[in-house]
Amino acid sequence: MNPEKALEALRSAPMVQPEDVDDWPEPLPLFREADPPEPYPLEALGPLEGVVREALRVVQGAEALTAAAFLAGASLGAQGIANAVVDGRTYPASLFFLTVADSGERKTELDRLALLPARAWQTAKAEVAALAEEAWRAEREAWEAERRRIQGEKGLSREERAEALKALGLPPARPWSGMFLLSDATTEAIVSALADDWPSVGLFASEAGVFLGGHAMSEEKRLYTISVLSRLWDGQGVERARQGDGKRLLLGRRLSVHLGMQPEVARDLIEDRLVRNQGLLARFLTAWAPQVGPRRYVEEDLTRNAAYIAYQDRLDTLLEATAGNVRDDPEARVRGLELPSLPLHPAAKRLYVAFFEHLEAQKEELGEARAFAAKTPEHAVRLALVLALFEDPSHTRLGLEHMERGIALAEWYMLEHRRLMEGARVPEPLRRAARLLEWLRERARGGALPIATPDVVRYGPRAVGRTTQAVREALRFLEAHGYVRAHREGRREVWELNPRAL
Protein backbone atom coordinates (compact mmCIF):
# COMPACT_ATOMS: atom_id res chain seq x y z
CA MET A 1 0.00 0.00 0.00
CA ASN A 2 1.43 3.38 -0.95
CA PRO A 3 1.69 6.14 1.73
CA GLU A 4 -1.31 8.12 0.45
CA LYS A 5 -3.61 5.09 0.51
CA ALA A 6 -2.29 4.08 3.93
CA LEU A 7 -3.02 7.57 5.27
CA GLU A 8 -6.51 7.52 3.77
CA ALA A 9 -7.16 4.10 5.33
CA LEU A 10 -6.19 5.43 8.74
CA ARG A 11 -8.44 8.46 8.32
CA SER A 12 -11.44 6.35 7.29
CA ALA A 13 -10.91 3.62 9.93
CA PRO A 14 -13.61 3.58 12.62
CA MET A 15 -12.60 5.25 15.87
CA VAL A 16 -12.27 2.85 18.79
CA GLN A 17 -13.85 4.26 21.93
CA PRO A 18 -12.49 3.32 25.36
CA GLU A 19 -15.72 1.57 26.28
CA ASP A 20 -15.38 -0.53 23.11
CA VAL A 21 -11.96 -1.67 24.23
CA ASP A 22 -13.07 -2.32 27.80
CA ASP A 23 -15.82 -4.54 26.49
CA TRP A 24 -13.23 -6.95 25.04
CA PRO A 25 -10.82 -9.32 26.80
CA GLU A 26 -7.07 -9.17 26.30
CA PRO A 27 -6.44 -11.68 23.46
CA LEU A 28 -4.34 -14.73 24.21
CA PRO A 29 -1.15 -15.27 22.15
CA LEU A 30 -1.57 -17.62 19.21
CA PHE A 31 2.04 -18.77 19.39
CA ARG A 32 4.06 -19.90 22.36
CA GLU A 33 6.88 -17.48 23.03
CA ALA A 34 10.16 -19.01 21.91
CA ASP A 35 12.92 -19.48 24.47
CA PRO A 36 15.36 -16.55 24.42
CA PRO A 37 18.55 -17.07 22.38
CA GLU A 38 21.89 -17.74 23.99
CA PRO A 39 24.19 -14.68 24.27
CA TYR A 40 26.04 -14.17 20.98
CA PRO A 41 29.80 -14.93 21.32
CA LEU A 42 31.08 -11.56 20.10
CA GLU A 43 34.55 -12.29 21.48
CA ALA A 44 34.84 -15.16 18.96
CA LEU A 45 34.66 -12.74 16.00
CA GLY A 46 38.38 -12.05 16.21
CA PRO A 47 39.32 -9.43 13.58
CA LEU A 48 35.64 -8.50 13.15
CA GLU A 49 34.88 -7.97 16.83
CA GLY A 50 35.88 -4.30 16.81
CA VAL A 51 33.73 -3.22 13.88
CA VAL A 52 30.76 -5.30 15.08
CA ARG A 53 30.88 -3.75 18.55
CA GLU A 54 31.10 -0.26 17.07
CA ALA A 55 28.16 -0.99 14.76
CA LEU A 56 26.19 -2.25 17.75
CA ARG A 57 26.86 1.03 19.56
CA VAL A 58 25.99 3.30 16.62
CA VAL A 59 23.35 1.40 14.61
CA GLN A 60 21.90 -0.48 17.59
CA GLY A 61 20.74 -3.61 15.79
CA ALA A 62 20.55 -7.03 17.43
CA GLU A 63 23.90 -8.74 18.07
CA ALA A 64 23.22 -11.74 15.81
CA LEU A 65 21.98 -9.49 13.00
CA THR A 66 24.98 -7.16 13.22
CA ALA A 67 27.48 -10.02 13.38
CA ALA A 68 25.88 -11.79 10.40
CA ALA A 69 26.08 -8.65 8.25
CA PHE A 70 29.84 -8.25 8.76
CA LEU A 71 30.61 -11.98 8.69
CA ALA A 72 28.81 -12.19 5.33
CA GLY A 73 30.83 -9.22 4.06
CA ALA A 74 34.05 -10.88 5.21
CA SER A 75 32.98 -14.14 3.54
CA LEU A 76 32.41 -12.29 0.26
CA GLY A 77 36.02 -11.13 0.38
CA ALA A 78 37.57 -14.35 1.69
CA GLN A 79 35.83 -16.86 -0.60
CA GLY A 80 38.00 -15.86 -3.57
CA ILE A 81 41.30 -16.28 -1.68
CA ALA A 82 41.59 -19.87 -0.42
CA ASN A 83 39.75 -23.00 0.69
CA ALA A 84 40.26 -25.14 3.78
CA VAL A 85 41.13 -28.83 3.54
CA VAL A 86 40.52 -31.53 6.15
CA ASP A 87 41.68 -35.04 5.23
CA GLY A 88 41.12 -34.44 1.53
CA ARG A 89 37.75 -32.72 1.98
CA THR A 90 37.79 -29.19 0.61
CA TYR A 91 35.65 -26.49 2.22
CA PRO A 92 35.13 -23.05 0.64
CA ALA A 93 35.13 -19.82 2.65
CA SER A 94 31.53 -19.21 1.54
CA LEU A 95 28.95 -18.62 4.27
CA PHE A 96 25.15 -18.58 3.96
CA PHE A 97 23.26 -16.50 6.55
CA LEU A 98 19.52 -16.32 7.17
CA THR A 99 18.42 -13.67 9.66
CA VAL A 100 14.81 -13.51 10.82
CA ALA A 101 13.84 -10.02 12.00
CA ASP A 102 10.85 -7.73 12.06
CA SER A 103 10.78 -4.58 9.95
CA GLY A 104 12.70 -1.70 11.50
CA GLU A 105 15.41 -3.86 13.08
CA ARG A 106 18.22 -2.28 10.96
CA LYS A 107 18.91 -5.18 8.57
CA THR A 108 19.08 -2.92 5.50
CA GLU A 109 21.33 -0.36 7.20
CA LEU A 110 23.73 -3.00 8.50
CA ASP A 111 23.98 -4.65 5.09
CA ARG A 112 24.64 -1.23 3.57
CA LEU A 113 27.52 -0.58 5.95
CA ALA A 114 28.98 -4.09 5.65
CA LEU A 115 28.90 -3.92 1.83
CA LEU A 116 29.84 -0.27 1.32
CA PRO A 117 33.51 -1.12 0.53
CA ALA A 118 32.42 -3.92 -1.84
CA ARG A 119 30.00 -1.63 -3.69
CA ALA A 120 32.70 1.02 -4.11
CA TRP A 121 35.12 -1.62 -5.39
CA GLN A 122 32.48 -2.99 -7.78
CA THR A 123 31.81 0.50 -9.18
CA ALA A 124 35.49 1.08 -9.85
CA LYS A 125 35.82 -2.37 -11.44
CA ALA A 126 32.75 -1.78 -13.63
CA GLU A 127 34.26 1.42 -15.05
CA VAL A 128 37.42 -0.44 -16.10
CA ALA A 129 35.35 -3.37 -17.39
CA ALA A 130 33.33 -1.05 -19.64
CA LEU A 131 36.51 -0.03 -21.48
CA ALA A 132 37.61 -3.66 -21.76
CA GLU A 133 34.16 -4.57 -23.12
CA GLU A 134 34.50 -1.97 -25.88
CA ALA A 135 37.91 -3.31 -26.88
CA TRP A 136 36.58 -6.87 -26.81
CA ARG A 137 33.73 -6.02 -29.18
CA ALA A 138 36.22 -4.65 -31.72
CA GLU A 139 38.37 -7.78 -31.41
CA ARG A 140 35.33 -10.01 -31.72
CA GLU A 141 34.16 -8.26 -34.87
CA ALA A 142 37.63 -8.62 -36.41
CA TRP A 143 37.71 -12.32 -35.47
CA GLU A 144 34.25 -12.93 -36.99
CA ALA A 145 35.21 -11.05 -40.17
CA GLU A 146 38.32 -13.20 -40.58
CA ARG A 147 36.32 -16.35 -39.93
CA ARG A 148 33.79 -15.37 -42.63
CA ARG A 149 36.63 -14.62 -45.03
CA ILE A 150 38.18 -18.08 -44.49
CA GLN A 151 34.84 -19.82 -44.86
CA GLY A 152 34.09 -17.95 -48.09
CA GLU A 153 37.55 -18.41 -49.68
CA LYS A 154 36.82 -20.44 -52.82
CA GLY A 155 40.42 -21.36 -53.56
CA LEU A 156 40.84 -23.36 -50.34
CA SER A 157 40.37 -27.10 -50.10
CA ARG A 158 38.42 -28.58 -47.20
CA GLU A 159 41.63 -29.50 -45.42
CA GLU A 160 43.17 -26.05 -45.98
CA ARG A 161 40.03 -24.32 -44.73
CA ALA A 162 39.99 -26.49 -41.61
CA GLU A 163 43.67 -25.71 -41.03
CA ALA A 164 43.07 -21.97 -41.43
CA LEU A 165 40.14 -22.02 -38.99
CA LYS A 166 42.26 -23.97 -36.51
CA ALA A 167 45.03 -21.39 -36.84
CA LEU A 168 42.47 -18.61 -36.25
CA GLY A 169 41.73 -20.12 -32.89
CA LEU A 170 38.87 -19.52 -30.48
CA PRO A 171 37.04 -16.20 -30.40
CA PRO A 172 38.43 -13.65 -27.93
CA ALA A 173 37.00 -14.21 -24.44
CA ARG A 174 34.53 -11.64 -23.24
CA PRO A 175 35.97 -9.82 -20.20
CA TRP A 176 34.34 -10.24 -16.80
CA SER A 177 32.01 -7.33 -16.04
CA GLY A 178 32.99 -7.28 -12.38
CA MET A 179 29.36 -7.08 -11.19
CA PHE A 180 29.21 -9.43 -8.21
CA LEU A 181 26.60 -8.03 -5.80
CA LEU A 182 23.04 -9.28 -6.25
CA SER A 183 19.81 -8.59 -4.38
CA ASP A 184 16.50 -10.43 -4.77
CA ALA A 185 17.84 -12.23 -7.87
CA THR A 186 16.34 -15.25 -9.57
CA THR A 187 18.32 -18.48 -9.56
CA GLU A 188 19.04 -18.02 -13.28
CA ALA A 189 20.40 -14.54 -12.55
CA ILE A 190 22.77 -15.97 -9.92
CA VAL A 191 24.09 -18.61 -12.34
CA SER A 192 24.36 -16.02 -15.14
CA ALA A 193 26.34 -13.66 -12.88
CA LEU A 194 28.74 -16.47 -11.94
CA ALA A 195 29.17 -17.39 -15.62
CA ASP A 196 29.58 -13.94 -17.16
CA ASP A 197 30.10 -11.27 -14.52
CA TRP A 198 32.42 -12.61 -11.78
CA PRO A 199 33.24 -16.06 -10.38
CA SER A 200 32.78 -14.86 -6.77
CA VAL A 201 29.32 -13.44 -6.10
CA GLY A 202 27.28 -12.27 -3.10
CA LEU A 203 23.50 -12.45 -2.72
CA PHE A 204 22.33 -9.94 -0.12
CA ALA A 205 18.59 -9.40 0.23
CA SER A 206 17.08 -7.46 3.11
CA GLU A 207 13.64 -8.84 2.27
CA ALA A 208 14.26 -12.43 1.22
CA GLY A 209 10.53 -13.01 0.83
CA VAL A 210 10.88 -11.56 -2.66
CA PHE A 211 13.47 -14.23 -3.51
CA LEU A 212 12.12 -17.19 -1.53
CA GLY A 213 8.48 -16.30 -2.13
CA GLY A 214 8.86 -15.41 -5.79
CA HIS A 215 9.78 -17.14 -9.05
CA ALA A 216 12.88 -18.81 -7.54
CA MET A 217 10.72 -20.90 -5.18
CA SER A 218 7.66 -21.40 -7.39
CA GLU A 219 6.40 -24.97 -7.69
CA GLU A 220 8.32 -25.64 -10.92
CA LYS A 221 11.54 -23.96 -9.74
CA ARG A 222 11.87 -24.94 -6.07
CA LEU A 223 13.90 -28.09 -6.54
CA TYR A 224 16.19 -26.38 -9.08
CA THR A 225 16.78 -23.42 -6.74
CA ILE A 226 17.49 -25.68 -3.78
CA SER A 227 19.87 -27.77 -5.89
CA VAL A 228 21.80 -24.74 -7.21
CA LEU A 229 22.16 -23.14 -3.77
CA SER A 230 23.22 -26.43 -2.22
CA ARG A 231 25.81 -27.17 -4.91
CA LEU A 232 27.28 -23.68 -4.67
CA TRP A 233 27.54 -23.95 -0.88
CA ASP A 234 29.24 -27.31 -1.30
CA GLY A 235 31.72 -25.75 -3.74
CA GLN A 236 30.60 -28.03 -6.57
CA GLY A 237 30.13 -27.06 -10.19
CA VAL A 238 26.81 -25.67 -11.33
CA GLU A 239 25.20 -26.18 -14.75
CA ARG A 240 24.39 -23.21 -16.93
CA ALA A 241 21.88 -23.89 -19.72
CA ARG A 242 21.40 -21.28 -22.44
CA GLN A 243 19.46 -21.46 -25.69
CA GLY A 244 21.81 -22.05 -28.60
CA ASP A 245 24.72 -22.63 -26.22
CA GLY A 246 23.73 -25.95 -24.70
CA LYS A 247 24.64 -26.90 -21.14
CA ARG A 248 27.90 -25.84 -19.59
CA LEU A 249 29.35 -26.93 -16.25
CA LEU A 250 30.77 -23.94 -14.38
CA LEU A 251 33.54 -24.86 -11.94
CA GLY A 252 35.36 -22.85 -9.31
CA ARG A 253 32.43 -20.56 -8.49
CA ARG A 254 31.75 -19.09 -5.05
CA LEU A 255 28.59 -17.62 -3.54
CA SER A 256 28.08 -15.85 -0.20
CA VAL A 257 24.53 -15.19 0.99
CA HIS A 258 22.80 -13.06 3.61
CA LEU A 259 19.01 -13.12 3.47
CA GLY A 260 16.74 -11.15 5.78
CA MET A 261 13.29 -12.55 6.40
CA GLN A 262 10.06 -11.61 8.15
CA PRO A 263 8.91 -14.10 10.83
CA GLU A 264 5.86 -15.19 8.80
CA VAL A 265 8.02 -16.06 5.78
CA ALA A 266 10.51 -17.85 8.04
CA ARG A 267 7.79 -20.09 9.46
CA ASP A 268 6.70 -21.01 5.93
CA LEU A 269 10.28 -21.86 4.97
CA ILE A 270 10.87 -23.95 8.08
CA GLU A 271 7.66 -25.85 7.40
CA ASP A 272 8.53 -26.48 3.74
CA ARG A 273 9.09 -30.24 3.58
CA LEU A 274 11.16 -30.10 0.39
CA VAL A 275 13.49 -27.47 1.86
CA ARG A 276 13.95 -29.56 4.98
CA ASN A 277 14.39 -32.90 3.19
CA GLN A 278 16.96 -31.49 0.76
CA GLY A 279 19.07 -30.11 3.62
CA LEU A 280 19.02 -26.48 2.49
CA LEU A 281 18.37 -25.05 5.96
CA ALA A 282 21.29 -27.03 7.37
CA ARG A 283 23.59 -25.02 5.09
CA PHE A 284 22.39 -21.67 6.47
CA LEU A 285 23.62 -20.05 9.66
CA THR A 286 20.23 -18.92 10.91
CA ALA A 287 19.34 -16.49 13.68
CA TRP A 288 16.02 -15.09 14.88
CA ALA A 289 17.01 -11.58 15.95
CA PRO A 290 15.05 -10.29 18.97
CA GLN A 291 13.47 -6.86 18.81
CA VAL A 292 15.67 -4.10 20.16
CA GLY A 293 13.98 -1.73 22.60
CA PRO A 294 13.80 2.07 22.27
CA ARG A 295 16.96 3.50 20.74
CA ARG A 296 18.66 6.82 21.37
CA TYR A 297 20.03 8.58 18.31
CA VAL A 298 23.83 8.43 18.03
CA GLU A 299 25.35 11.45 16.29
CA GLU A 300 28.20 9.63 14.62
CA ASP A 301 29.20 8.51 11.13
CA LEU A 302 30.31 4.89 11.56
CA THR A 303 32.24 4.98 8.28
CA ARG A 304 34.73 7.41 9.92
CA ASN A 305 35.29 5.13 12.88
CA ALA A 306 38.77 3.59 13.11
CA ALA A 307 37.38 0.03 13.44
CA TYR A 308 35.20 0.50 10.37
CA ILE A 309 38.07 1.99 8.33
CA ALA A 310 40.20 -1.06 9.24
CA TYR A 311 37.34 -3.33 8.09
CA GLN A 312 37.05 -1.36 4.84
CA ASP A 313 40.78 -1.56 4.14
CA ARG A 314 40.90 -5.30 4.75
CA LEU A 315 37.86 -6.01 2.57
CA ASP A 316 39.44 -3.94 -0.22
CA THR A 317 42.60 -6.02 0.12
CA LEU A 318 40.67 -9.30 -0.13
CA LEU A 319 38.68 -8.15 -3.18
CA GLU A 320 41.90 -7.08 -4.92
CA ALA A 321 43.46 -10.44 -4.11
CA THR A 322 40.39 -12.20 -5.54
CA ALA A 323 40.74 -10.18 -8.73
CA GLY A 324 44.30 -11.47 -8.97
CA ASN A 325 42.92 -15.03 -9.01
CA VAL A 326 40.46 -14.31 -11.85
CA ARG A 327 41.54 -15.12 -15.43
CA ASP A 328 39.92 -14.04 -18.72
CA ASP A 329 40.97 -16.82 -21.12
CA PRO A 330 38.21 -19.17 -22.40
CA GLU A 331 39.35 -22.17 -20.37
CA ALA A 332 39.49 -20.08 -17.19
CA ARG A 333 35.90 -19.01 -17.81
CA VAL A 334 34.94 -22.65 -17.29
CA ARG A 335 37.44 -23.51 -14.56
CA GLY A 336 36.72 -20.37 -12.56
CA LEU A 337 38.74 -19.82 -9.39
CA GLU A 338 41.56 -22.28 -8.79
CA LEU A 339 42.45 -21.62 -5.16
CA PRO A 340 45.00 -22.98 -2.71
CA SER A 341 43.76 -25.04 0.24
CA LEU A 342 44.79 -24.35 3.82
CA PRO A 343 45.28 -27.37 6.10
CA LEU A 344 44.62 -27.33 9.83
CA HIS A 345 47.51 -26.97 12.27
CA PRO A 346 47.87 -30.28 14.21
CA ALA A 347 46.48 -28.66 17.38
CA ALA A 348 43.54 -27.23 15.40
CA LYS A 349 42.98 -30.65 13.82
CA ARG A 350 42.81 -32.33 17.25
CA LEU A 351 40.24 -29.77 18.40
CA TYR A 352 38.21 -30.28 15.22
CA VAL A 353 38.15 -34.06 15.73
CA ALA A 354 37.14 -33.67 19.38
CA PHE A 355 34.31 -31.32 18.39
CA PHE A 356 33.15 -33.72 15.68
CA GLU A 357 33.03 -36.64 18.11
CA HIS A 358 31.33 -34.52 20.77
CA LEU A 359 28.48 -33.74 18.36
CA GLU A 360 28.21 -37.36 17.26
CA ALA A 361 27.89 -38.45 20.89
CA GLN A 362 24.92 -36.18 21.53
CA LYS A 363 23.21 -36.69 18.15
CA GLU A 364 20.18 -38.39 19.70
CA GLU A 365 19.55 -35.41 21.99
CA LEU A 366 19.57 -32.83 19.20
CA GLY A 367 16.12 -33.62 17.83
CA GLU A 368 15.20 -31.22 15.02
CA ALA A 369 18.79 -29.95 14.82
CA ARG A 370 20.35 -33.29 13.80
CA ALA A 371 20.73 -32.34 10.13
CA PHE A 372 22.40 -29.06 11.05
CA ALA A 373 24.61 -30.76 13.64
CA ALA A 374 25.93 -33.08 10.93
CA LYS A 375 27.25 -30.01 9.11
CA THR A 376 28.28 -28.02 12.20
CA PRO A 377 31.95 -29.16 12.11
CA GLU A 378 32.14 -27.94 8.50
CA HIS A 379 30.47 -24.66 9.50
CA ALA A 380 33.15 -24.31 12.19
CA VAL A 381 35.96 -24.79 9.63
CA ARG A 382 34.39 -22.29 7.21
CA LEU A 383 33.95 -19.67 9.94
CA ALA A 384 37.52 -20.25 11.11
CA LEU A 385 38.75 -19.89 7.51
CA VAL A 386 36.87 -16.62 6.92
CA LEU A 387 38.18 -15.07 10.14
CA ALA A 388 41.73 -16.30 9.45
CA LEU A 389 41.81 -14.88 5.91
CA PHE A 390 40.23 -11.62 7.04
CA GLU A 391 42.89 -11.35 9.71
CA ASP A 392 45.69 -12.10 7.23
CA PRO A 393 45.12 -13.38 3.67
CA SER A 394 48.67 -14.75 3.58
CA HIS A 395 47.88 -17.44 6.20
CA THR A 396 49.01 -20.87 4.99
CA ARG A 397 47.11 -22.93 7.58
CA LEU A 398 44.36 -22.61 10.19
CA GLY A 399 45.69 -22.34 13.71
CA LEU A 400 44.24 -23.40 17.04
CA GLU A 401 42.91 -19.92 17.80
CA HIS A 402 41.11 -19.79 14.45
CA MET A 403 39.50 -23.17 15.11
CA GLU A 404 38.44 -22.14 18.62
CA ARG A 405 36.67 -19.09 17.18
CA GLY A 406 35.01 -21.11 14.43
CA ILE A 407 33.72 -23.70 16.90
CA ALA A 408 32.37 -21.08 19.33
CA LEU A 409 30.39 -19.44 16.53
CA ALA A 410 29.24 -22.70 14.93
CA GLU A 411 28.04 -24.03 18.27
CA TRP A 412 25.99 -20.86 18.86
CA TYR A 413 24.35 -21.24 15.45
CA MET A 414 23.62 -24.90 16.15
CA LEU A 415 21.82 -24.02 19.39
CA GLU A 416 19.96 -21.22 17.60
CA HIS A 417 18.97 -23.59 14.79
CA ARG A 418 17.60 -26.03 17.35
CA ARG A 419 15.70 -23.24 19.12
CA LEU A 420 14.09 -22.13 15.87
CA MET A 421 13.26 -25.58 14.56
CA GLU A 422 11.60 -26.58 17.80
CA GLY A 423 9.89 -23.25 18.46
CA ALA A 424 8.82 -22.06 15.01
CA ARG A 425 6.96 -25.13 13.83
CA VAL A 426 3.26 -24.40 13.97
CA PRO A 427 0.35 -26.86 13.51
CA GLU A 428 -1.57 -26.27 10.30
CA PRO A 429 -4.89 -25.20 11.95
CA LEU A 430 -3.00 -22.58 13.94
CA ARG A 431 -1.18 -21.37 10.81
CA ARG A 432 -4.51 -20.91 9.03
CA ALA A 433 -5.92 -18.99 11.98
CA ALA A 434 -2.86 -16.72 12.05
CA ARG A 435 -3.19 -15.99 8.33
CA LEU A 436 -6.86 -15.14 8.79
CA LEU A 437 -6.07 -12.85 11.73
CA GLU A 438 -3.61 -10.84 9.63
CA TRP A 439 -6.21 -10.49 6.89
CA LEU A 440 -8.87 -9.34 9.36
CA ARG A 441 -6.45 -6.78 10.79
CA GLU A 442 -5.86 -5.33 7.33
CA ARG A 443 -9.59 -5.07 6.71
CA ALA A 444 -10.17 -3.47 10.10
CA ARG A 445 -7.54 -0.83 9.38
CA GLY A 446 -9.40 -0.08 6.15
CA GLY A 447 -12.75 0.12 7.90
CA ALA A 448 -14.07 -3.06 6.23
CA LEU A 449 -15.27 -4.86 9.36
CA PRO A 450 -17.58 -6.39 10.66
CA ILE A 451 -17.76 -9.07 7.97
CA ALA A 452 -20.12 -11.96 7.35
CA THR A 453 -18.92 -15.56 7.22
CA PRO A 454 -19.77 -16.05 3.49
CA ASP A 455 -17.66 -12.98 2.63
CA VAL A 456 -14.71 -14.40 4.57
CA VAL A 457 -15.11 -17.62 2.56
CA ARG A 458 -15.29 -15.68 -0.71
CA TYR A 459 -12.62 -13.00 -0.19
CA GLY A 460 -10.42 -14.31 2.63
CA PRO A 461 -6.85 -15.60 2.27
CA ARG A 462 -6.59 -18.63 0.04
CA ALA A 463 -4.36 -20.39 2.58
CA VAL A 464 -7.30 -20.64 4.98
CA GLY A 465 -9.48 -22.46 2.46
CA ARG A 466 -12.52 -21.73 0.37
CA THR A 467 -15.02 -23.82 2.33
CA THR A 468 -17.36 -22.63 5.06
CA GLN A 469 -16.15 -25.41 7.35
CA ALA A 470 -12.45 -24.43 7.04
CA VAL A 471 -13.17 -20.71 7.52
CA ARG A 472 -15.48 -21.27 10.48
CA GLU A 473 -12.88 -23.54 12.10
CA ALA A 474 -10.26 -20.76 11.87
CA LEU A 475 -12.74 -18.15 13.12
CA ARG A 476 -13.74 -20.30 16.11
CA PHE A 477 -10.06 -20.75 16.93
CA LEU A 478 -9.58 -16.96 16.92
CA GLU A 479 -12.76 -16.58 18.96
CA ALA A 480 -11.46 -18.97 21.61
CA HIS A 481 -8.31 -16.83 21.89
CA GLY A 482 -10.28 -13.60 22.22
CA TYR A 483 -9.51 -12.07 18.82
CA VAL A 484 -12.99 -12.11 17.25
CA ARG A 485 -16.60 -12.59 18.22
CA ALA A 486 -19.77 -13.26 16.26
CA HIS A 487 -23.25 -11.75 16.38
CA ARG A 488 -26.36 -12.20 14.26
CA GLU A 489 -27.62 -9.69 11.73
CA GLY A 490 -30.86 -11.27 10.68
CA ARG A 491 -29.92 -14.66 9.30
CA ARG A 492 -26.25 -13.73 8.81
CA GLU A 493 -23.35 -14.60 11.10
CA VAL A 494 -21.17 -11.47 11.31
CA TRP A 495 -17.69 -11.22 12.86
CA GLU A 496 -16.07 -8.34 14.74
CA LEU A 497 -12.37 -7.97 15.54
CA ASN A 498 -11.13 -7.24 19.04
CA PRO A 499 -9.81 -3.62 19.00
CA ARG A 500 -6.98 -4.77 21.27
CA ALA A 501 -5.79 -7.04 18.40
CA LEU A 502 -4.89 -3.96 16.32
Side-chain angles (χ1 to χ4, degrees):
M1 182 183 291
N2 65 40
E4 290 184 4
K5 288 185 178 179
L7 184 59
E8 182 58 34
L10 287 173
R11 286 172 177 161
S12 61
M15 295 296 291
V16 177
Q17 301 300 327
E19 59 267 28
D20 297 332
V21 175
D22 292 340
D23 192 38
W24 285 84
E26 190 68 38
L28 300 173
L30 287 179
F31 302 105
R32 179 182 69 83
E33 288 292 325
D35 296 330
E38 294 291 322
Y40 195 91
L42 294 173
E43 66 283 353
L45 292 171
L48 291 174
E49 182 181 358
V51 70
V52 168
R53 289 192 182 277
E54 290 301 291
L56 286 168
R57 182 178 62 81
V58 176
V59 183
Q60 303 171 70
E63 289 183 350
L65 174 56
T66 306
F70 286 94
L71 276 167
S75 172
L76 178 66
Q79 66 183 0
I81 306 301
N83 304 313
V85 61
V86 181
D87 292 330
R89 295 182 290 273
T90 299
Y91 301 138
S94 300
L95 301 175
F96 284 15
F97 289 93
L98 182 62
T99 306
V100 184
D102 290 306
S103 295
E105 291 303 314
R106 305 297 196 264
K107 167 73 170 66
T108 301
E109 174 63 6
L110 287 165
D111 264 0
R112 183 189 73 83
L113 289 165
L115 297 176
L116 202 59
R119 293 197 185 283
W121 193 91
Q122 177 179 255
T123 299
K125 178 70 178 175
E127 292 171 356
V128 175
L131 297 175
E133 173 92 4
E134 188 176 341
W136 168 79
R137 289 186 185 281
E139 292 176 12
R140 175 80 185 208
E141 288 176 6
W143 181 89
E144 288 176 345
E146 180 62 13
R147 184 170 182 270
R148 286 194 300 269
R149 186 195 68 78
I150 294 171
Q151 289 176 325
E153 183 65 54
K154 294 181 179 179
L156 295 177
S157 65
R158 179 184 299 177
E159 292 76 12
E160 290 171 331
R161 182 175 291 106
E163 193 64 32
L165 289 172
K166 183 179 178 181
L168 178 62
L170 295 171
R174 184 173 188 169
W176 300 96
S177 76
M179 303 298 289
F180 59 89
L181 291 174
L182 303 174
S183 62
D184 299 333
T186 63
T187 314
E188 289 83 357
I190 295 171
V191 175
S192 178
L194 290 165
D196 300 326
D197 296 325
W198 204 242
S200 175
V201 166
L203 173 63
F204 297 85
S206 296
E207 293 295 340
V210 178
F211 175 72
L212 294 171
H215 179 68
M217 292 296 280
S218 61
E219 285 297 324
E220 65 274 15
K221 288 289 184 180
R222 283 162 71 230
L223 187 57
Y224 172 67
T225 296
I226 292 169
S227 174
V228 168
L229 292 177
S230 297
R231 289 181 66 84
L232 287 171
W233 186 86
D234 294 342
Q236 299 179 21
V238 59
E239 278 190 348
R240 197 264 183 99
R242 191 165 58 181
Q243 189 173 5
D245 203 16
K247 287 189 176 181
R248 189 155 52 112
L249 183 63
L250 305 172
L251 303 172
R253 265 51 175 188
R254 295 291 181 264
L255 176 70
S256 293
V257 178
H258 188 194
L259 302 178
M261 187 176 293
Q262 297 285 334
E264 294 78 12
V265 181
R267 289 190 178 98
D268 288 343
L269 187 67
I270 290 171
E271 289 293 332
D272 190 313
R273 185 170 299 177
L274 184 61
V275 170
R276 292 161 63 88
N277 291 345
Q278 294 295 320
L280 182 61
L281 285 178
R283 291 171 166 84
F284 276 87
L285 299 169
T286 304
W288 196 302
Q291 289 186 342
V292 175
R295 301 172 174 91
R296 295 183 65 86
Y297 183 77
V298 178
E299 297 185 50
E300 185 175 335
D301 181 356
L302 182 65
T303 63
R304 300 192 178 194
N305 183 286
Y308 183 86
I309 292 171
Y311 167 82
Q312 181 179 41
D313 290 344
R314 184 46 51 93
L315 188 52
D316 283 343
T317 299
L318 292 174
L319 293 172
E320 285 294 338
T322 297
N325 292 327
V326 177
R327 300 287 182 266
D328 263 333
D329 61 89
E331 287 188 12
R333 297 299 289 252
V334 176
R335 294 196 310 271
L337 295 166
E338 296 180 296
L339 305 175
S341 291
L342 276 56
L344 273 59
H345 183 279
K349 173 68 178 300
R350 287 193 294 272
L351 180 61
Y352 167 83
V353 171
F355 183 54
F356 178 94
E357 293 177 346
H358 165 71
L359 292 176
E360 286 294 311
Q362 60 173 343
K363 184 183 294 184
E364 295 304 319
E365 304 170 15
L366 293 172
E368 294 283 354
R370 287 185 64 178
F372 185 89
K375 293 191 180 299
T376 299
E378 180 173 351
H379 282 300
V381 173
R382 288 170 180 252
L383 286 158
L385 177 62
V386 168
L387 294 176
L389 293 174
F390 199 84
E391 179 181 72
D392 183 356
S394 65
H395 275 307
T396 57
R397 62 182 180 179
L398 299 183
L400 178 61
E401 186 178 9
H402 303 139
M403 202 64 234
E404 288 173 340
R405 291 170 180 165
I407 287 175
L409 291 168
E411 195 160 31
W412 185 90
Y413 281 105
M414 185 187 71
L415 294 174
E416 181 71 351
H417 183 93
R418 181 180 183 181
R419 183 178 78 94
L420 299 185
M421 295 299 287
E422 293 179 353
R425 300 194 68 184
V426 179
E428 188 58 33
L430 181 53
R431 285 162 59 83
R432 289 196 294 265
R435 290 283 182 83
L436 181 57
L437 176 60
E438 287 303 312
W439 182 79
L440 291 171
R441 282 171 170 156
E442 287 297 317
R443 290 188 63 92
R445 294 183 186 111
L449 287 184
I451 186 170
T453 302
D455 291 331
V456 179
V457 176
R458 186 178 304 171
Y459 304 116
R462 190 173 299 276
V464 177
R466 285 285 187 260
T467 67
T468 302
Q469 180 180 349
V471 167
R472 186 167 280 133
E473 180 184 346
L475 285 166
R476 294 299 181 197
F477 194 97
L478 294 177
E479 184 179 39
H481 284 71
Y483 287 95
V484 299
R485 67 186 177 195
H487 66 270
R488 307 298 300 188
E489 288 186 0
R491 298 171 60 184
R492 299 196 318 159
E493 182 182 53
V494 177
W495 295 88
E496 302 173 84
L497 181 69
N498 186 342
R500 299 177 189 272
L502 292 172

